[in-house]
Amino acid sequence: NVITAPNSPKPAANAVTATIDVGDTPMALALTPDGSKAYVANQETSSVSVIDTGSNTVIATIAVGSFPYGVAVNPAGTRAYVTNSGGDTVSVINTATNAVIATIAVGDTPRGVAVNPAGSRTYVANVFSDTASVINTATNTVAIATAVGDQPQAVAVSSDGATVYVTNTVGDSVSVINAATNTVAGTISVGNGPEGVAVNSAGTRV
């Protein structure tokens, strides 16, 4: 976001309007729902930078676990979840105070992370344990670890919260999880080494 004076020229479209220094080796970024803040996972400095998007400045730096890789913010904008790939944990950040309020043990080398639309569950892809951890966000505990494909990397949740999709980078597939039962309802073969994944708003395409 760029703030301009009333009579100043508007920034050019599709142009870089700011460059913001964060921690060493930033890996992932997530915005709060209102777009006012961005949370950046800095792998080499084991920290999260909090950016005020109105001023394009870092307003806080939060120490998290070892080698943070993924970050997601819940729909209410009250919590940020950071996967610590070197510590096999997830750090839970209170976005009002920018403090870590919980550290949750998950599987081996967590990377991808996503929160369901209700904010009641957080899903984490654990690369070397071939599982997706399901975190109960009310208690900050792992409810279950669902076995998926070979080396899961990324995770996405459908807009109705009913289905979770996990990319398996070595398995060349996507696991489709029924969120009501936390079981794999199907496995879809895709291209070589799938990593990122997203679902359209209608839930008809992945």
Side-chain angles (χ1 to χ4, degrees):
N1 293 337
V2 179
I3 300 173
T4 58
N7 297 320
S8 64
K10 294 182 178 179
N14 297 320
V16 174
T17 58
T19 300
I20 306 164
D21 288 331
V22 291
D24 194 0
T25 318
M27 295 297 294
L29 178 150
L31 290 167
T32 54
D34 64 3
S36 64
K37 290 191 289 186
Y39 288 80
V40 181
N42 306 307
Q43 189 173 76
E44 296 293 333
T45 47
S46 296
S47 67
V48 169
S49 298
V50 185
I51 296 171
D52 179 323
T53 60
S55 61
N56 288 326
T57 56
V58 173
I59 57 173
T61 300
I62 307 164
V64 291
S66 176
F67 290 96
Y69 191 95
V71 59
V73 177
N74 70 352
T78 57
R79 299 287 184 270
Y81 298 88
V82 183
T83 56
N84 303 306
S85 62
D88 301 340
T89 61
V90 170
S91 296
V92 184
I93 296 170
N94 180 328
T95 60
T97 62
N98 288 325
V100 173
I101 58 171
T103 301
I104 306 165
V106 290
D108 190 350
T109 315
R111 288 190 177 172
V113 57
V115 186
N116 71 351
S120 60
R121 296 289 183 269
T122 295
Y123 298 90
V124 177
N126 305 303
V127 177
F128 294 115
S129 57
D130 297 339
T131 60
S133 295
V134 183
I135 295 171
N136 181 331
T137 61
T139 60
N140 287 326
T141 58
V142 173
I144 192 171
T146 301
V148 289
D150 196 354
Q151 294 195 17
Q153 182 79 212
V155 58
V157 185
S158 63
S159 58
D160 61 3
T163 310
V164 180
Y165 299 91
V166 180
T167 57
N168 305 305
T169 55
V170 173
D172 299 340
S173 64
V174 172
S175 295
V176 182
I177 298 173
N178 181 325
T181 62
N182 292 317
T183 57
V184 174
T187 302
I188 305 167
S189 295
V190 290
N192 189 14
E195 292 196 359
V197 60
V199 188
N200 69 354
S201 58
T204 57
R205 297 286 186 274
V206 177

